[in-house]
Amino acid sequence: MKARVTVTLKTGILDPQGKAIEGALKSLGVGGVASVRQGKVFDIEVDGTDRARTEAALKEAAEKLLANTVIENYRVEVLG
Amino acid sequence: MKAAVVVFPGINRERDMARTLKLVSGTEPSMVWHADTALPAGTDLVVIPGGFSYGDYLRCGAIAARAPIMDAVRAHAGRGGLVLGVCNGFQILCESGLLPGVLMRNAALRFICKDVYLRVERSDTPFTRGYNAGQVIRVPVAHGEGNYVADSETVTRLEATDVWRSAMWGRTASSIRAGISTARPTRLPGF
């Protein structure tokens, strides 16, 4: 099954890379950009067809490695 | 003193560390590979040197922190054994859960390479007993990801157990003591 884990910085955690991207977008004249927060996307293929098991495995992956929950949140999506 | 230096792929300061430990203690340290599951018997001090373990992929130190040898390092710390992490080694200790908090990209997005001056607050720890309390020492730092982040409760606790502080800014400076850190870690040049 195809799945996606999205890792983002928690609210209130300083994101200097997001700020730099925001500044670059503004200087490129991209209209209406108020703010940018950057993160990571992991596209993962999992063996089997059990949705619940896939979701559980990816939650474990996020907790154990993909996200540092001191500073980051994660979201798991099973895409089918 | 028997020291063990843990080596991960991408770590590149292990020889400097081994040489320094030999100079300081008179005993050649053991070099321990990340895939090993045990430390040599009688290890007093575990040192994780600097470099770029796993190319700093994912987050600095994140992949190394999950290596098999780290269970043995955690058990060693749990028994009251000494653990020292320098540079990427410090990041690995934070990622492993041995130290609280995390090191993020520097706030100004600049690589910081300069000398900092630290005041030794306590000289009764295994790592500072060669100094006098109140003494100011020069420590060169060089890091891109030295921005220490922890929740305010953790920072308050660390401030209360300071071992040394920045003499210039009055902020908590880098040090580790077997699972309890006083923070503001820095990546040392060449480490």
Side-chain angles (χ1 to χ4, degrees):
Chain A
M1 299 192 86
K2 289 188 182 199
R4 175 169 286 181
V5 179
T6 308
V7 176
T8 50
L9 285 173
K10 287 184 175 173
T11 310
I13 298 284
L14 183 68
D15 179 14
Q17 294 177 92
K19 278 273 169 227
I21 295 162
E22 181 186 313
L25 288 176
K26 284 175 178 167
S27 68
L28 284 168
V30 178
V33 175
S35 76
V36 177
R37 305 273 289 166
Q38 52 86 49
K40 298 187 186 95
V41 169
F42 303 89
D43 284 331
I44 301 175
E45 289 199 33
V46 181
D47 292 335
T49 54
D50 186 330
R51 275 190 100 84
R53 189 178 292 178
T54 298
E55 200 170 314
L58 291 171
K59 269 190 180 160
E60 188 186 351
E63 288 282 341
K64 282 189 170 170
L65 181 65
L66 302 180
N68 183 329
T69 54
V70 175
I71 49 163
E72 292 168 329
N73 291 322
Y74 65 87
R75 192 174 70 238
V76 172
E77 295 163 273
V78 180
L79 307 169
Chain B
M1 184 193 68
K2 275 189 73 172
V5 178
V6 185
V7 183
F8 297 93
I11 286 288
N12 58 11
R13 306 323 311 175
E14 73 277 9
R15 288 183 189 207
D16 303 354
M17 186 55 77
R19 183 172 171 271
T20 304
L21 288 165
K22 172 85 194 298
L23 282 171
V24 170
S25 72
T27 310
E28 198 83 47
S30 313
M31 306 304 278
V32 180
W33 187 234
H34 67 106
D36 291 346
T37 52
L39 296 165
T43 297
D44 301 303
L45 167 69
V46 174
V47 183
I48 307 184
F52 299 86
S53 59
Y54 298 92
D56 279 350
Y57 292 171
L58 189 61
R59 299 177 304 275
C60 298
I63 297 175
R66 277 88 182 160
I69 192 62
M70 290 307 293
D71 285 335
V73 176
R74 267 186 285 269
H76 168 79
R79 288 191 297 269
L82 300 173
V83 181
L84 175 69
V86 178
C87 177
N88 192 214
F90 195 103
Q91 295 167 331
I92 292 167
L93 292 179
C94 286
E95 277 283 347
S96 75
L98 273 166
L99 296 175
V102 59
L103 289 143
M104 297 186 67
R105 192 66 65 92
N106 290 343
L109 285 175
R110 291 212 179 103
F111 190 89
I112 297 173
C113 180
K114 63 178 184 182
D115 288 343
V116 296
Y117 294 87
L118 306 180
R119 190 174 66 236
V120 178
E121 294 290 323
R122 289 173 51 187
S123 56
D124 61 343
T125 79
F127 295 111
T128 56
R129 67 183 181 199
Y131 299 114
N132 299 313
Q135 185 181 347
V136 173
I137 59 170
R138 180 179 67 89
V139 180
V141 302
H143 58 77
E145 278 104 358
N147 181 14
Y148 183 77
V149 174
D151 60 51
S152 56
E153 203 173 280
T154 303
V155 172
T156 306
R157 183 164 57 82
L158 295 177
E159 295 273 353
T161 54
D162 254 4
V163 176
W164 42 34
R165 268 168 193 269
S166 165
M168 293 180 75
W169 307 107
R171 300 175 83 172
T172 314
S174 68
S175 89
I176 301 175
R177 211 190 139 193
I180 306 165
S181 151
T182 61
R184 208 81 211 161
T186 44
R187 289 189 100 159
L188 303 181
F191 277 91

